[in-house]
Every structure is written in C-alpha cells, then in structure tokens.
C-alpha cells in the first residue's frame, strides 16, 4: 500500500467551553455535527476523529497514520504529497469551528 492510499487521521479535540457555559452538556452532540461538516474537508486523504478535549495535556489537533502518531513535521510532509500546507489546513479547520458552532445552535 502506498502512502497516497493511506488516509491521514486527524485527531481534533474540541473544548466544551467553546460552546458556552453549558458546553459540557452539548459537546458530544456537537462533535457529531462537526464531524459531518468537516469530513468533506480533504476527504480524499483525511480520516477525521473528533472528540471532546477532556485531557488538557493533549493537543487540540494531532495526526496519525494507521494508528501511529506523527510529529507535526511528519504530518506536514504528508500534506505536501497532496500539494497542501499543514498551516493552511489547520487555519481552515479553526475558521470552520465558529461556523459549525452557529449551525449547531441554530438547528
């Protein structure tokens, strides 16, 4: 199997606080909605894993291939295979978050 056939897993941990003071009661459902919205972002090579960020020692976003964690530099090299930049990808993810929050509360 070549690297282009292997999807990059993006572990995105979302803080309940971004959903306001009652965020803890919404975070699980929000993660489901966010997954639906984000899965279209580079779906050709990305597999999303969205979870609540309950462990603050873990980063908000990290990367893996076949269950093996990658350094940010390794993930950045993976993005270059698809003529993408990790910085642009992460910026797009964090730009989508407030939009998805608005969608969540307006449904």
């Amino acid at each position: 199997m070549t690297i282009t056939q292997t999807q990059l897993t993006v572990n995105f941990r979302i803080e309940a606080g971004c959903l306001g003071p009652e965020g803890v009661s919404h975070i699980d459902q929000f993660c489901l909605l966010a997954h639906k919205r984000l899965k279209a972002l580079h779906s050709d090579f990305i597999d999303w894993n969205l979870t609540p960020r309950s462990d603050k020692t873990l980063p908000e976003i990290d990367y893996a291939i076949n269950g093996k964690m990658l350094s940010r530099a390794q993930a950045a090299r993976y993005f270059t295979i698809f003529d993408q930049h990790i910085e642009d990808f992460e910026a797009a993810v964090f730009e989508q978050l407030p939009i998805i929050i608005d969608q969540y509360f307006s449904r």
Side-chain angles (χ1 to χ4, degrees), residues 77-105:
R77 283 195 300 273
Y78 190 91
F79 274 89
T80 63
I81 294 169
F82 298 94
D83 291 326
Q84 302 290 322
H85 298 279
I86 195 170
E87 296 83 7
D88 296 338
F89 169 78
E90 289 177 351
V93 170
F94 287 106
E95 286 172 10
Q96 286 297 308
L97 195 57
I99 295 166
I100 299 168
I101 291 170
D102 288 345
Q103 290 172 343
Y104 177 80
F105 284 112

Side-chain angles (χ1 to χ4, degrees), residues 14-87:
I14 302 172
E15 303 234 9
C18 75
L19 300 172
E22 301 295 320
V24 172
S25 63
H26 295 279
I27 192 65
D28 290 327
Q29 283 298 104
F30 178 78
C31 284
L32 293 173
L33 174 68
H35 184 266
K36 288 179 186 176
R37 299 294 186 261
L38 290 173
K39 72 180 180 180
L41 191 61
H42 301 300
S43 63
D44 51 333
F45 68 95
I46 290 181
D47 177 38
W48 288 92
N49 179 29
L50 278 75
T51 58
R53 187 177 185 208
S54 52
D55 183 347
K56 305 292 188 216
T57 63
L58 296 173
E60 284 181 288
I61 195 165
D62 62 28
Y63 306 92
I65 293 179
N66 294 330
K68 182 182 183 301
M69 297 306 298
L70 301 178
S71 68
R72 192 163 190 286
Q74 290 170 318
R77 283 195 300 273
Y78 190 91
F79 274 89
T80 63
I81 294 169
F82 298 94
D83 291 326
Q84 302 290 322
H85 298 279
I86 195 170
E87 296 83 7

